Amino acid sequence: MSDFKFTCPHCQQHISADSSMVGTEVACPTCSGRLIVPEPPTSQPRVPPPQTEVGGTCPYCRAAITPTDRTRVCPACHTPHHADCWKENKGCTVFGCSMAPPDEEKISLAGAVPPTPRAVGAVRPPPINSGAPMFLYIPVSRLVVMSIVSMGLYEVYWIYRNWRYLKERDGLKIQPFWRGWFGIFYCHSILKAILTDRQTNAIEKASFSAGGLATGWIILVILGAAIGRSDDAAVSFLGTLISLPSFLFFLPVQNYINRVNERISPRPPYKSWSAGHIVCLVWGIIIWLLILAGMAA
């Protein structure tokens, strides 16, 4: 009997098994997903033909490759990757490719005892045992109320906090404060980063439109700011009202972040009230008082 290798269809973990286990139903040692040990390959993996266009799905992060993405095409099997994914994986992600990382860890099923059969159904990802929340975990009501009270300043804080989360988790060399302050330039990139994040997508696949939400938010903010610069008090107030509901474009993203955190075990607490929250609250109260005083005068 001899060992052979195959890939888990749920988490793409490379697994080593004995030929005697072919046809046996087992659980993946990594994601606990149910799978049937396949027949051992009879030949080397077939190298797909060269691709003439970059597109499709990156095999590393499972996100779509768009024409604007920086890409890296494997010189051996011609599979396109995101450039950052290629760098992070240190080579090609395709199992069996000669450009794959040489020290790739394998998990063996040798000696594994097949689990007791159970009813066939959807396989849910295992809970993440961590008490730390993913991204800015706050109640949706706080996002709504604080955005209205602070005249949209809280949305700048929202962008800043999510960039800061990525910087601390991934060690990015960025300045989250300025990315929040100049949010109209970095709104789309933070929404796309959340949409394609590997850790959150392992728990629940994101389905919101990063481009559509970012475009709507930017248009509403710029339009409200342009009208709000009018010397006419009534027109200026109208501009404020136009930009006020801009938080609506962040609600689908916040709902997704909350659903992901609610599936973490143990469930992490909401983000506590910080100095940034207090600044947004005080700023908003002062601006609203000035607006009301101007209208009364």
Side-chain angles (χ1 to χ4, degrees):
M1 299 185 183
S2 59
D3 288 348
F4 67 96
K5 300 177 179 63
F6 65 96
T7 303
C8 173
H10 306 295
C11 66
Q12 308 305 313
Q13 172 64 51
H14 299 158
I15 304 173
S16 176
D18 190 274
S19 58
S20 63
M21 301 183 67
V22 171
T24 305
E25 184 181 29
V26 297
C28 174
T30 298
C31 70
S32 301
R34 302 294 292 238
L35 56 92
I36 302 295
V37 178
E39 293 284 344
T42 57
S43 61
Q44 293 296 322
R46 183 179 64 88
V47 177
Q51 298 185 2
T52 56
E53 295 183 3
V54 174
T57 302
C58 175
Y60 184 77
C61 68
R62 302 294 170 183
I65 299 177
T66 64
T68 58
D69 290 336
R70 294 176 57 250
T71 58
R72 174 69 183 270
V73 178
C74 176
C77 67
H78 308 286
T79 301
H81 298 66
H82 290 117
D84 292 339
C85 294
W86 178 281
K87 181 178 180 181
E88 182 175 337
N89 190 56
K90 299 180 181 179
C92 183
T93 313
V94 177
F95 183 48
C97 178
S98 61
M99 295 299 293
D103 298 326
E104 192 171 2
E105 182 180 1
K106 306 294 189 299
I107 295 180
S108 175
L109 290 176
V113 178
T116 304
R118 62 179 181 178
V120 178
V123 178
R124 296 182 60 185
I128 295 180
N129 295 317
S130 171
M134 292 188 173
F135 293 98
L136 179 58
Y137 183 36
I138 57 173
V140 171
S141 57
R142 188 191 302 181
L143 173 60
V144 174
V145 173
M146 286 295 294
S147 295
I148 295 175
V149 172
S150 66
M151 295 287 191
L153 181 63
Y154 190 75
E155 295 156 33
V156 174
Y157 174 80
W158 187 91
I159 296 174
Y160 152 73
R161 285 299 312 188
N162 284 303
W163 274 121
R164 178 175 168 182
Y165 168 81
L166 288 177
K167 175 181 180 178
E168 294 175 350
R169 189 193 71 179
D170 300 339
L172 302 180
K173 296 181 179 180
I174 60 175
Q175 295 181 313
F177 175 82
W178 294 114
R179 293 198 172 202
W181 188 254
F182 296 103
I184 58 174
F185 301 108
Y186 293 99
C187 175
H188 176 261
S189 52
I190 187 60
L191 297 189
K192 184 178 180 182
I194 298 173
L195 175 67
T196 60
D197 186 71
R198 294 176 58 209
Q199 292 191 17
T200 55
N201 275 272
I203 301 176
E204 178 181 330
K205 182 69 175 178
S207 58
F208 59 86
S209 171
L213 295 176
T215 301
W217 183 79
I218 293 171
I219 290 176
L220 210 60
V221 169
I222 293 178
L223 182 62
I227 298 177
R229 294 173 63 88
S230 174
D231 294 332
D232 189 314
V235 175
S236 178
F237 184 67
L238 176 62
T240 300
L241 295 179
I242 289 176
S243 62
L244 203 59
S246 56
F247 63 85
L248 293 174
F249 295 99
F250 289 165
L251 289 186
V253 187
Q254 189 63 57
N255 280 322
Y256 169 71
I257 293 174
N258 290 359
R259 289 196 305 272
V260 168
N261 281 284
E262 287 164 4
R263 292 180 59 180
I264 297 176
S265 179
R267 176 177 172 177
Y270 285 126
K271 169 67 179 178
S272 60
W273 284 77
S274 61
H277 284 82
I278 302 302
V279 169
C280 291
L281 186 63
V282 173
W283 164 270
I285 292 175
I286 292 175
I287 296 301
W288 274 110
L289 289 176
L290 291 176
I291 291 177
L292 295 175
M295 294 178 63

